[in-house]
């Protein structure tokens, strides 16, 4: 006798149960569904329902596709130092030091930026950041927030080195109070002086690929183009330039400034950036602790998406399920 199985004619020695047909084909009856002559056969009756000459069977199962190779030990290296977290966070704008410490811990960050400010002489016993965020636990990254000239930036970081012995620093020289956009001529001047003085400079800069390359060639250990204006939360407004900077760089590239929410952080990492630095996006959230956790996960997800390689964009639809084997 002959039967049709999944559109193909197959010979059988004689009538036999659905279960026997499946076993004969090397198919586990528990893992499939069977239709006989356009009627579904309940699994409980596979041993009783007989298949006769001319019957038509459809045997189906679930299919999927793809496999992911998760990259373990994906570390981030700058100036010869290795870090697991690609999220760098600031320490300003929180309501108090307790919240600062809690948010940083939740973010999983290993590098924190710190500003250099005068000691309050009227009450020198006031608590300091180091009492809550220990430089023994985190890598302090002194920055030049609030500096508008190269001379002020260099002076600030020399004081920071004296205070804590740190030579890995973040340089930013701002152009004006309204936009806090980087003053690139002053930034280049300050970077040159600091590098000559033995500093390892991570530098905040405009999203100009040419200027970024000049800073790298000068000896900066990391390039940090702005995603958008500091504290604006506008996200990454010029992804093409960020991508060009990354493609041309042989040192780490980190998006610095403008991140507003988790999707912005993920997007930065999907562009191939080595990390993201943020402060306001966490500190100004309604729940800074929760947002810190969200940013941690976003950076990890964006990095994994980048390493996995996104699908190509297409003009027209492409079905997820293969057409082969269609009933």
């Amino acid at each position: 006798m002959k039967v049709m199985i999944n559109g193909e004619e197959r010979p059988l020695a004689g009538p036999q149960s659905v279960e026997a047909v499946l076993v004969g084909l090397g198919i586990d009856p528990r893992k499939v569904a069977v239709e006989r002559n356009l009627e579904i056969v309940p699994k409980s009756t596979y041993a009783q329902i007989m298949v006769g000459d001319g019957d038509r069977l459809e045997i189906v199962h679930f299919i999927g596709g793809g496999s992911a190779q998760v990259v373990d030990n994906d570390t981030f290296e700058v100036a010869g130092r290795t870090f697991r977290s690609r999220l760098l966070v600031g320490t300003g704008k929180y309501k108090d030091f307790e919240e600062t410490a809690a948010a940083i811990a939740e973010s999983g960050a290993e590098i924190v930026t710190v500003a250099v400010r005068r000691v309050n002489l009227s009450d020198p016993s006031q608590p300091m950041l180091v009492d809550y965020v220990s430089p023994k636990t985190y890598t302090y990254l002194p920055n030049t927030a609030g500096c508008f000239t190269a001379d002020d930036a260099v002076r600030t970081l020399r004081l920071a080195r004296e205070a804590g012995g740190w030579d890995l620093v973040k340089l930013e020289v701002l152009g004006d109070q309204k936009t806090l956009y980087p003053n690139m001529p002053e930034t280049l001047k300050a970077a040159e002086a600091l590098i000559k003085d033995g500093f390892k400079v991570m530098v905040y800069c405009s999203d100009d690929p040419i200027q970024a390359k000049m800073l790298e060639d000068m000896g900066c250990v990391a390039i940090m183009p702005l995603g958008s204006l500091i504290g604006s939360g506008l996200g990454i407004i010029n992804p093409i330039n960020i991508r060009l900077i990354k493609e041309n760089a042989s040192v780490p590239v980190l998006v610095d400034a403008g991140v507003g929410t988790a999707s912005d952080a993920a997007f930065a990492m999907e562009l191939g950036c080595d990390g993201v630095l943020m402060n306001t996006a966490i500190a100004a959230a309604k729940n800074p602790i929760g947002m810190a956790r969200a940013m941690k996960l976003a950076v990890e997800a964006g990095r994994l998406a980048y390493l996995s390689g996104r699908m190509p964009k297409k003009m027209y639809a492409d079905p997820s399920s293969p057409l082969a084997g269609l009933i």
Side-chain angles (χ1 to χ4, degrees):
M1 57 177 267
K2 295 181 179 180
V3 297
M4 293 292 291
I5 302 177
N6 286 1
E8 297 180 11
E9 187 176 81
R10 288 178 174 264
L12 292 180
Q16 52 188 279
S17 68
V18 169
E19 183 176 72
V21 171
L22 293 173
V23 171
L25 292 170
I27 298 172
D28 186 340
R30 298 170 300 175
K31 298 179 179 179
V32 297
V34 178
E35 181 186 77
R36 172 176 168 270
N37 299 330
L38 301 182
E39 292 187 2
I40 294 175
V41 181
K43 284 183 181 292
S44 61
T45 65
Y46 280 2
Q48 291 79 45
I49 298 295
M50 302 300 293
V51 177
D53 187 37
D55 280 351
R56 302 178 67 91
L57 299 181
E58 291 289 347
I59 306 170
V60 299
H61 66 136
F62 292 114
I63 64 171
S67 62
Q69 181 178 1
V70 178
V71 179
D72 294 323
N73 301 318
D74 176 45
T75 55
F76 158 64
E77 184 174 316
V78 58
R81 307 182 194 184
T82 302
F83 304 93
R84 291 192 62 84
S85 175
R86 293 172 180 271
L87 175 60
L88 291 69
V89 297
T91 52
K93 298 186 177 182
Y94 292 95
K95 67 179 182 181
D96 51 39
F97 283 139
E98 286 85 357
E99 185 178 75
T100 304
I104 292 173
E106 194 66 30
S107 75
E110 296 169 279
I111 302 175
V112 297
T113 60
V114 293
V116 179
R117 294 293 184 267
R118 290 170 171 163
V119 172
N120 183 354
L121 296 180
S122 63
D123 187 5
S125 64
Q126 281 191 351
M128 296 185 179
L129 180 67
V130 293
D131 299 323
Y132 294 83
V133 181
S134 173
K136 295 181 180 180
T137 303
Y138 300 97
T139 295
Y140 269 31
L141 186 66
N143 69 16
T144 56
C147 292
F148 290 84
T149 68
D151 289 343
D152 284 346
V154 171
R155 178 186 174 201
T156 296
L157 291 177
R158 284 175 176 163
L159 281 168
R161 181 166 61 182
E162 184 65 25
W166 300 296
D167 60 356
L168 181 63
V169 296
K170 180 199 167 188
L171 170 65
E172 58 181 72
V173 184
L174 307 175
D176 63 72
Q177 192 69 50
K178 183 177 181 180
T179 67
L180 300 183
Y181 206 80
N183 181 326
M184 291 310 299
E186 289 292 293
T187 297
L188 289 161
K189 178 181 174 183
E192 183 177 23
L194 289 166
I195 292 167
K196 286 181 179 178
D197 203 12
F199 286 94
K200 298 171 182 176
V201 180
M202 302 174 67
V203 57
Y204 166 69
C205 61
S206 62
D207 56 358
D208 180 340
I210 305 303
Q211 299 266 25
K213 191 62 179 175
M214 290 173 65
L215 289 164
E216 178 185 347
D217 292 344
M218 183 181 291
C220 291
V221 299
I223 307 301
M224 307 177 75
L226 77 167
S228 53
L229 302 182
I230 291 174
S232 68
L234 292 172
I236 299 175
I237 58 178
N238 199 344
I240 295 175
N241 276 18
I242 299 292
R243 181 68 183 180
L244 287 172
I245 290 172
K246 174 57 185 172
E247 289 179 354
N248 292 332
S250 56
V251 297
V253 174
L254 302 92
V255 164
D256 180 11
V259 168
T261 190
S263 57
D264 299 331
F267 184 34
M269 298 306 297
E270 288 169 4
L271 290 173
C273 292
D274 298 281
V276 183
L277 171 61
M278 66 183 72
N279 187 173
T280 308
I282 296 176
K286 292 181 179 179
N287 179 355
I289 315 302
M291 186 59 79
R293 174 68 173 170
M295 292 300 187
K296 175 182 184 293
L297 297 173
V299 167
E300 292 174 353
R303 177 64 178 172
L304 183 55
Y306 170 72
L307 293 176
S308 301
R310 69 154 291 150
M311 62 166 286
K313 294 183 179 180
K314 302 175 182 178
M315 289 292 293
Y316 302 101
D318 185 9
S320 299
S321 301
L323 296 179
L326 192 65
I327 298 171

